[in-house]
Amino acid sequence: MSNNDIKQGAASHRGKESYGLKSSSLSPLETLGQSIANIAPTATPTVVIPLVFAVSGGGTWLAYLIATVSILLVASSINQFARRSASPGSFYTYTIEGLGSFWGAVTGWALLIAYIGCASAVTTGFSNYANVLLESVAGVKIPAVIFIAVSVLAAWYVAYRDIKLSTRLTLILEFASVSFVLLLVGVTLYHYGFKLDLDQLALKTTSFDALRGGLVLALFSFTGFESAATLGSEAKNPLQSIPRAILRSALIVGAIFVLSSYAQVIGFQGHSETLDKSSAPLNVLADRAGLSSIALLINIGAIISFFACVLASINAAARILFLMSRHGIFHASAGDAHDTNETPHKAVTIAAIIAFIPAAILSVRGAGDFDIYGWIGTVATLGFITTYIIVSVAAPVYLKRLGELKVTNIITSVISIGILGLAILGNIYPVPPEPYNWLPYLFFALLLGGVAWVLVIHRFHPHVIDEIHRETKFNSDRFSTQTQG
């Protein structure tokens, strides 16, 4: 055997373990940082809560409470896999283990739509608050597309260089920005006298249909909570740290969202401008609470939170694309890892470029930042919800195959699928106003395009399916052995 053969064999063995990525380098806190950043908890009070209020009114807090419960149920299904297997593939790999390679590939495609769409959507949140800050400091604004480009370029650079830098940076940024939001929420409740807002609690200004409509956007606030699962090759003790990160991120941000939505509705009572019409709702709350001096910090917090979400989304999308390319579903070059940085550098670049294009085109054509955020964000949310439904179906099938299925697992999956299905239905009926009435069909067209591609792969490249099965089985067996040991 030649030296070259030996090197190739060694490289192949390493690839099965770490795929050329920075193996076991991320602490549990850094792993949690990926999920927290992908949720972008500061983005929700600044952008999404007003959008939910526009639909659900005083029931906004309940929409977030239902969304939190739903996400925790989904987290339970996800963790059936995350406790037993780890790879960069996240739901893509999990679904293969539960439902087979076809549904795994479909799930991977839906995840790409979701993560790249999320990255694209939140670039406009970045540009909006960057311009709010620029206008308050210098009295000028610049074209949003410039800030969109800056956010994507900066996120690409960090994701290209180092996953450890990415997760540490996003965790620090999110901790700082969330601190500003919680300070403002506390002061708002203090000024209200800490008494109960009975109109909100009695749901006097909402209805079932309004709650169902708001639930879709509320779920968008949580999307990405599972993205720690894409760090399966890079997290230390992934079978412990990843399930904990997924569950904790959902619990932490769920509490923040319910409290923030309740406080924001209170804070806008009696104000000439309603919550859903405000371009900077936290600034309004700061003024009304006598904390105008922290408006600058809030703007900065919003900017860094949106940037952290762009970065986390590109990181997650790149790892899904990376593994699917290594399996032959996409061009093999996207499955290369950087020799020095140990990052999926080509997949990072592809994900960043695709994320930039739709937001930039819509911005240049004159669409507003929040309009773009809502449009692309809706498509991304449908991608996430679809993958959550699939993994909720896959979990009991997977557990049955292992001989570990319990009645509670079935109940959990059925409830979560029901709530998520209701959220998708809320995007279709009652028919939302244009262009939101077209967005579900746009998503399903994109999804069907991916399904068609997967069918072509299955038909003309059956060796790809064999490779997916082989590597997935190796991965499951490897971690099963580690768990038993």
Side-chain angles (χ1 to χ4, degrees), residues 379-451:
V379 175
T381 302
L382 290 170
F384 281 113
I385 292 175
T386 299
T387 62
Y388 295 162
I389 289 175
I390 293 174
V391 81
S392 295
V393 172
V397 176
Y398 174 65
L399 291 173
K400 188 175 190 304
R401 186 175 300 141
L402 297 178
E404 300 177 19
L405 180 63
K406 300 177 182 177
V407 174
T408 53
N409 302 131
I410 299 174
I411 293 174
T412 296
S413 292
V414 169
I415 295 174
S416 58
I417 291 168
I419 296 174
L420 294 169
L422 194 66
I424 290 182
L425 183 61
N427 264 277
I428 301 172
Y429 182 82
V431 178
E434 289 189 354
Y436 285 92
N437 58 325
W438 294 106
L439 297 180
Y441 303 104
L442 173 60
F443 166 72
F444 288 121
L446 292 172
L447 184 63
L448 287 175
V451 171

Side-chain angles (χ1 to χ4, degrees), residues 314-329:
I314 289 175
N315 267 325
R319 279 152 181 79
I320 302 295
L321 177 59
F322 170 80
L323 191 58
M324 293 179 75
S325 298
R326 290 177 68 90
H327 287 167
I329 296 176

Side-chain angles (χ1 to χ4, degrees), residues 31-32 35 75-76 78-86 94 225-226 228-229 235-250:
T31 304
L32 175 64
S35 280
S76 176
I78 295 169
N79 283 345
Q80 300 302 330
F81 296 99
R83 285 194 291 265
R84 296 172 172 87
S85 175
Y94 297 164
F225 82 100
E226 77 298 326
K236 295 177 182 176
N237 302 316
L239 301 186
Q240 295 180 6
S241 62
I242 289 176
R244 289 173 182 171
I246 290 171
L247 183 61
R248 289 172 181 174
S249 63

